[in-house]
């Protein structure tokens, strides 16, 4: 029982990171119907920006951890948001009215560009980081096995809950959220009613990139090692989470992220770690057979 609880805690922490990335996928798809395959690499860029900022702040002699982490988070979110806006403005907006495969091919191309750019600038070797947040709570113990809830896991879970609540309020209660929901239903009609569609889509990319940067900071602090390829792996799993939960649904993206994290963690803990990805994608396939729209997704109704 103790081992199960420990794996549950680990899975929720990992799933929270996947969920934050998955929200970016589902927001973009919900508005313009495009899968932004470069989103995982935006997450990777956010992690590298966080690492560089952290090392720079440490070199300046600032050592008070809450201030350091706050600065790292703000800088990473701002700079990664600029990356997200630039990708949308340069690569996606000119192709918005073209055939559907053009933005998809461009998204894959941007993913490759970002990967290789970081590889050239930062090198191909992994970048380690010493643990910044240590310690935690010992919840229970049995036969020498201690169930631990680390401060880092608490930070990840609390940050995810706060951001999820904030984005839910933003989507449901603000003018930007109303504009996003209007664009999701009908972009032409939204434009006729005075909604700035280009601005709304750009802000959606910015918001998704900001969330991906938060996930990148959490990933860096949690695992302590990053490289130029983490964006591809995390991006594929976050996209899987978005599809599993129901692409276009914010709660579905978070639910899918948690499920993918739990599946990976429990499979690694009780079976073979080599087949954790096989287990996750197998369960995705089974769910989509019976629920083609995902767990919380709504079936698309075409207007005639």
């Amino acid at each position: 029982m103790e081992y199960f609880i420990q794996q549950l805690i680990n899975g929720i922490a990992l799933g929270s990171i996947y969920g934050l990335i998955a929200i970016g996928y589902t927001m973009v798809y919900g508005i313009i119907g495009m899968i932004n395959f470069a989103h995982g690499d935006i997450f990777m860029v956010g992690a590298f920006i966080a690492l560089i900022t952290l090392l720079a702040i440490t070199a300046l002699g600032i050592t008070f951890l809450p201030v350091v982490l706050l600065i790292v988070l703000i800088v990473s979110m701002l700079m990664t948001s600029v990356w997200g806006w630039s990708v949308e403005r340069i690569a996606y907006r000119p192709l918005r009215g073209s055939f559907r495969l053009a933005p998809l091919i461009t998204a894959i191309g941007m993913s490759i560009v970002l990967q290789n750019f970081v590889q050239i600038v930062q090198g191909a070797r992994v970048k380690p980081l010493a643990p910044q947040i240590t310690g935690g709570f010992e919840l229970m113990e049995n036969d020498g096995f201690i169930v631990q809830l680390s401060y880092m896991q608490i930070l990840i879970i609390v940050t995810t809950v706060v951001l999820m609540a904030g984005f839910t309020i933003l989507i449901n209660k603000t003018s930007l959220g109303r504009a996003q929901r209007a664009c999701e239903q009908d972009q032409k009609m939204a434009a006729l009613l005075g909604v700035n569609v280009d601005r709304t889509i750009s802000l959606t990319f910015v918001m998704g990139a900001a969330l991906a940067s938060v996930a990148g900071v959490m990933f860096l602090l949690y695992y302590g090692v990053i490289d130029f390829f983490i964006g591809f792996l995390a991006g594929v799993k976050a996209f899987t989470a978005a599809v599993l939960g129901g692409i276009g649904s914010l709660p579905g993206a978070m639910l899918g992220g948690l499920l993918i994290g739990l599946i990976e963690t429990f499979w690694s803990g009780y079976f073979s770690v080599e087949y954790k990805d096989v287990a996750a994608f197998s369960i995705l396939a089974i769910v989509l057979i019976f629920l083609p729209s995902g767990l919380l997704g709504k079936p698309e109704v075409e207007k005639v």
Side-chain angles (χ1 to χ4, degrees), residues 53-63 68 132:
T53 306
L54 182 60
L55 295 177
I57 293 173
T58 305
L60 292 175
I62 303 174
T63 57
V68 171
Q132 302 294 311

